[in-house]
Amino acid sequence: MSKIGILGGTFNPPHIGHLIIANEVYSKLELDLVWFMPNNKPPHKSMTGNASKNDRLKMLKLATKSHPGFSIQTIELEREGPSYTFDTMKTLAEMHPDTEFYFIIGGDMVEYLPNWKNIDALLRLVNFVGVSRPSFQTDSPYPIIHMDTPLIEISSSDIRQRIRDGKTIRYLVTDDIREYIEENGLYES
């Protein structure tokens, strides 16, 4: 049975915090792969910034290209309308019956789990891995594998704001992503 971690999100843009979390979980749980799963329309927040879904996918490819254990799963990006993790995982479990899935979430999403669609049924499809995130708790009434990772306070929304303010994003994203953002004029005011 293969073990696949899934890190979902808007990745608007992907940053080193995403990569560090994925690598820590990949290594500590001895996963076969980590799929980065960008979504089209998250049900819990609105999309901001001027990056298209194709821009986000290209940046994610740049971010993950050097790690042999990282790949991209586009099932949610291809779906119209909001993507609910339960629907996605039900489909992925049917497509990959010999796979054990580990869904990686930050402390902000651990707190939000009671609001997830069909959470009890979802728990039968995935193992949740809760990673530390500054200012959030990972305590939950649900079974969660708690994972300590380096606490790096970086967010995509902060990166977008820095770009609008004309500040540097060097070392917050990979050089390839920084160059892509600059070349395409993403997130500028």
Side-chain angles (χ1 to χ4, degrees):
M1 178 166 285
S2 64
K3 294 168 58 176
I4 296 179
I6 296 177
L7 182 61
T10 57
F11 302 107
N12 191 24
H15 54 72
I16 63 160
H18 295 128
L19 299 173
I20 290 168
I21 288 168
N23 189 61
E24 289 290 310
V25 175
Y26 172 80
S27 176
K28 289 178 180 176
L29 293 181
E30 299 178 349
L31 301 177
D32 296 301
L33 286 171
V34 171
W35 289 345
F36 286 72
M37 189 167 62
N39 50 39
N40 188 21
K41 294 182 181 173
H44 62 283
K45 65 180 175 180
S46 61
M47 290 290 292
T48 59
N50 64 335
S52 69
K53 67 180 180 180
N54 288 331
D55 285 324
R56 293 185 295 121
L57 182 58
K58 286 177 185 174
M59 288 188 285
L60 206 47
K61 287 178 181 177
L62 292 170
T64 59
K65 71 181 180 181
S66 66
H67 195 299
F70 290 175
S71 66
I72 300 169
Q73 170 53 258
T74 60
I75 188 171
E76 288 193 345
L77 197 62
E78 296 163 0
R79 184 180 297 144
E80 294 299 320
S83 291
Y84 292 95
T85 304
F86 172 75
D87 299 330
T88 300
M89 293 313 306
K90 187 175 174 193
T91 301
L92 289 175
E94 291 168 1
M95 292 169 60
H96 305 278
D98 294 329
T99 300
E100 187 172 9
F101 290 105
Y102 294 81
F103 204 90
I104 305 163
I105 57 175
D108 55 335
M109 286 292 107
V110 171
E111 290 180 0
Y112 194 74
L113 275 180
N115 301 311
W116 284 35
K117 178 182 176 184
N118 297 340
I119 184 62
D120 294 325
L122 180 58
L123 289 166
R124 292 189 290 276
L125 297 172
V126 300
N127 301 291
F128 277 105
V129 180
V131 297
S132 304
R133 190 161 178 195
S135 306
F136 293 98
Q137 296 293 322
T138 55
D139 294 334
S140 175
Y142 301 105
I144 294 178
I145 300 167
H146 294 282
M147 184 78 47
D148 286 326
T149 61
L151 294 177
I152 299 176
E153 197 162 352
I154 299 174
S155 72
S156 296
S157 59
D158 289 340
I159 291 170
R160 292 190 305 270
Q161 186 61 52
R162 291 177 71 85
I163 293 168
R164 285 191 296 273
D165 293 343
K167 295 179 180 175
T168 182
I169 59 168
R170 187 178 297 272
Y171 305 121
L172 301 178
V173 297
T174 64
D175 286 340
D176 288 346
I177 292 173
R178 183 178 48 79
E179 291 166 8
Y180 183 90
I181 289 170
E182 290 170 359
E183 289 170 6
N184 292 280
L186 299 180
Y187 311 119
E188 295 173 355
S189 51

